[in-house]
């Protein structure tokens, strides 16, 4: 059973879209996902000590970190969705909300995957100090210290910085920005704050253009923003994104998806997508028999999770064992094969009047698979 139910995730995505339409909370949803995953430390192997996208931000010890000021408002918006869909994890929900906000604001389609496992206790939260600071003494060096620790490079640092095209900074939360500007005094949503761009609910490459031109004093430029055009390596990408929105969208989509996976523990280990018609069953690829004649170990298979409305959110149900799935599309074994199987069965101590123990059943099924493989070789 996957960590999250794919059908419930899809439904939750639609509910998030409705919240975005009515509350204009795109920026804080992006921040929610980022701050949950941005605590990852590549130098720590153990989960969850390594931090990352594990749902830890829902607990007070982490929520109270200075860099997370104001994110309690995001949790208040997202909690009813979690209550409605108990079959999904917080870790997946935070990243789903972040990705949906980007896409609904006009950004690129993000190659997201799901199946993140949640931590279970506040004691598992990462220590404070792993998230970036807006006004460090040496901005470029600070950005590299933080993002290199996560395993990200200069291109990804600049691309991810472009998400500041959304949102505002409020001095009462971060200590940065003006109380209000001509772009924020009337909302939408709660008025106030200072935005990086004029259309701060639209995802595009305006962030890079505005920093490069620096013509509008009403727009916010933090020290870490200015560093993107001051640092020679960062500047290569910042200049490129200011001129080419398609290039920015491509690199951003890849960097966002990578950030959302940092430190996560996935179940199934490879994760699953919601957009390839396989995500509706988190483990479809394992549950559906291969149409080609492939020898498989005759272990009980697990059916893909049914849609939430069919199972009331219950997990996947065991699929009845069907021998034909393991007989190369033949409905019946040949008489010769049946005799061989019977001989092996009796040789192991079984008979119609004396059922074998469960461990013998496994042995005989392995024998069946072996004989089927030999038969196919002889046929070929």
């Amino acid at each position: 059973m996957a960590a999250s139910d794919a059908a419930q995730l899809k439904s939750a995505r639609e509910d998030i879209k409705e919240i975005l339409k009515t509350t204009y909370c795109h920026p804080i949803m992006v921040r929610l996902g980022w701050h949950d995953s941005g605590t990852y430390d590549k130098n720590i192997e153990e989960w969850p000590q390594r931090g990352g996208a594990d749902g830890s931000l829902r607990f007070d010890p982490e929520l109270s970190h200075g860099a997370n000021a104001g994110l309690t408002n995001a949790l208040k918006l997202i909690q009813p969705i979690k209550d409605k869909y108990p079959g999904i994890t917080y870790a997946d929900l935070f990243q789903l909300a972040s990705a949906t906000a980007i896409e609904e604001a006009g950004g690129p389609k993000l190659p997201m995957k799901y199946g993140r496992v949640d931590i279970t206790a506040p004691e598992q939260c990462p220590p404070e100090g792993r998230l970036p600071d807006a006004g460090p003494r040496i901005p470029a060096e600070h950005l590299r210290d933080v993002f290199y620790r996560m395993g990200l490079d200069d291109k990804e640092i600049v691309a991810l910085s472009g998400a500041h095209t959304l949102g505002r900074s409020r001095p009462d939360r971060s200590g940065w920005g003006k109380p209000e500007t001509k772009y924020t005094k009337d909302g939408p949503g709660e008025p106030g704050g200072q935005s990086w761009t004029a259309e701060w609910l639209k995802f595009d490459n305006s962030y890079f253009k505005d920093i490069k031109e620096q013509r509008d004093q009403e727009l916010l430029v933090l020290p870490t923003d200015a560093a993107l055009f001051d640092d020679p390596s960062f500047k290569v990408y910042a200049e490129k994104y200011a001129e080419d929105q398609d290039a920015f969208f491509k690199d951003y989509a890849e960097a966002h998806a990578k950030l959302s996976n940092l430190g996560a523990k996935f179940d199934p280990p490879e994760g699953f997508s919601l957009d390839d018609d396989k995500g509706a069953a988190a483990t479809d690829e394992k549950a559906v028999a291969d149409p080609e004649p492939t020898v498989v170990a005759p272990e009980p298979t697990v059916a893909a999770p049914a849609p939430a409305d069919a199972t009331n959110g219950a997990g996947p149900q065991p699929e009845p064992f069907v021998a034909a799935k393991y007989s190369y599309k033949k409905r019946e074994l040949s008489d010769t094969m049946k005799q061989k199987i019977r001989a092996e069965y009796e040789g192991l101590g079984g008979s119609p009047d004396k059922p074998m123990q469960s461990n013998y059943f496994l042995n005989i099924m392995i024998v069946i698979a072996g004989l089927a493989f030999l038969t196919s070789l002889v046929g070929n």
Side-chain angles (χ1 to χ4, degrees), residues 71-113:
L71 282 179
T72 183
N73 295 317
L75 286 176
K76 289 178 180 177
L77 290 170
I78 213 75
Q79 187 59 49
I81 296 179
K82 180 65 174 72
D83 294 340
K84 183 177 179 181
Y85 303 107
I88 61 181
T89 62
Y90 280 97
D92 272 347
L93 182 58
F94 292 167
Q95 300 307 322
L96 177 67
S98 181
T100 304
I102 293 291
E103 294 171 3
E104 290 297 293
K109 181 68 177 176
L110 305 180
M112 300 292 290
K113 68 176 183 177

Side-chain angles (χ1 to χ4, degrees), residues 24 168 179-193 200:
Y24 312 102
R168 303 164 284 178
E180 69 174 30
T181 69
K182 64 182 179 181
Y183 301 118
T184 66
K185 63 183 180 68
D186 297 320
E190 182 183 351
W200 49 270

Side-chain angles (χ1 to χ4, degrees), residues 50-367:
R50 65 195 181 205
D54 56 16
S56 59
L57 190 50
R58 73 189 190 274
F59 290 116
D60 287 339
E62 185 172 349
L63 192 59
S64 63
H65 292 177
N68 294 327
L71 282 179
T72 183
N73 295 317
L75 286 176
K76 289 178 180 177
L77 290 170
I78 213 75
Q79 187 59 49
I81 296 179
K82 180 65 174 72
D83 294 340
K84 183 177 179 181
Y85 303 107
I88 61 181
T89 62
Y90 280 97
D92 272 347
L93 182 58
F94 292 167
Q95 300 307 322
L96 177 67
S98 181
T100 304
I102 293 291
E103 294 171 3
E104 290 297 293
K109 181 68 177 176
L110 305 180
M112 300 292 290
K113 68 176 183 177
Y114 298 93
R116 297 169 187 81
V117 176
D118 278 342
I119 67 164
T120 57
E123 294 76 18
Q124 297 174 306
C125 289
E128 187 168 6
R130 292 187 180 181
L131 295 171
D133 184 1
R137 187 172 62 86
I138 307 177
E141 180 180 311
H142 174 71
L143 287 174
R144 288 192 174 96
D145 286 344
V146 172
F147 285 93
Y148 283 11
R149 187 207 70 227
M150 300 183 206
L152 301 174
D153 59 25
D154 285 0
K155 180 176 75 171
E156 291 162 335
I157 291 171
V158 179
L160 289 171
S161 297
H164 277 154
T165 192
L166 295 179
R168 303 164 284 178
S169 179
R170 296 179 180 274
D172 58 324
R173 296 179 186 174
S174 66
W176 292 90
K178 300 177 180 179
E180 69 174 30
T181 69
K182 64 182 179 181
Y183 301 118
T184 66
K185 63 183 180 68
D186 297 320
E190 182 183 351
Q194 186 176 15
S195 60
W196 284 266
T197 61
E199 295 184 85
W200 49 270
L201 286 176
K202 179 181 179 182
F203 193 95
D204 57 19
N205 66 337
S206 294
Y207 168 79
F208 298 104
K209 291 181 177 180
D210 291 335
I211 294 175
K212 181 179 180 179
E213 296 172 359
Q214 294 189 14
R215 295 178 181 176
D216 194 336
Q217 298 302 312
E218 291 281 273
L219 298 178
L220 180 62
V221 179
L222 297 172
T224 46
D225 300 320
L228 302 183
F229 283 90
D230 293 338
D231 180 86
S233 178
F234 289 160
K235 185 176 181 179
V236 172
Y237 301 108
E239 293 274 7
K240 177 182 179 181
Y241 299 153
E243 299 298 326
D244 189 343
Q245 180 168 285
D246 290 341
F248 166 52
F249 274 26
K250 176 180 179 297
D251 290 348
Y252 179 84
E254 294 173 356
H256 183 120
K258 181 176 179 179
L259 175 66
S260 75
N261 296 337
L262 294 181
K265 178 180 178 181
F266 283 91
D267 182 12
E270 69 278 9
F272 59 90
S273 170
L274 300 183
D275 302 309
D276 60 2
D277 295 328
K278 296 178 184 178
T283 55
D284 263 356
E285 294 181 357
K286 296 181 179 180
V288 177
D290 190 336
E292 297 298 322
T294 303
V295 176
V296 294
E299 298 175 356
T301 59
V302 177
D309 58 353
T311 64
N312 292 321
Q317 300 300 313
E319 178 183 344
F321 179 81
V322 180
K325 282 192 176 184
Y326 306 97
S327 61
Y328 295 90
K329 300 181 181 179
K330 295 180 181 179
R331 294 184 179 277
E332 289 291 338
L333 297 174
S334 67
D335 291 335
T336 300
M337 181 64 73
K338 289 179 180 178
Q339 291 174 6
K340 289 181 179 180
I341 293 172
R342 183 179 182 84
E344 291 290 342
Y345 182 84
E346 292 177 347
L348 291 169
S351 72
D353 301 320
K354 181 183 178 183
M356 291 188 300
Q357 297 179 1
S358 58
N359 59 326
Y360 286 140
F361 176 76
L362 177 60
N363 292 334
I364 194 64
M365 295 309 295
I366 293 173
V367 171

Side-chain angles (χ1 to χ4, degrees), residues 1-82:
M1 180 177 178
S4 289
D5 180 84
Q8 291 192 34
L9 278 170
K10 286 186 174 182
S11 297
R13 181 168 57 185
E14 296 308 308
D15 287 6
I16 290 169
K17 290 178 181 179
E18 291 303 313
I19 290 178
L20 294 170
K21 291 176 184 177
T22 56
T23 65
Y24 312 102
C25 61
H26 305 66
I28 201 169
M29 289 301 174
V30 175
R31 186 169 167 236
L32 178 68
W34 277 35
H35 283 216
D36 193 48
S37 62
T39 59
Y40 173 63
D41 188 337
K42 68 177 183 180
N43 301 307
I44 302 174
E45 294 184 4
E46 296 80 10
W47 183 92
Q49 292 92 327
R50 65 195 181 205
D54 56 16
S56 59
L57 190 50
R58 73 189 190 274
F59 290 116
D60 287 339
E62 185 172 349
L63 192 59
S64 63
H65 292 177
N68 294 327
L71 282 179
T72 183
N73 295 317
L75 286 176
K76 289 178 180 177
L77 290 170
I78 213 75
Q79 187 59 49
I81 296 179
K82 180 65 174 72

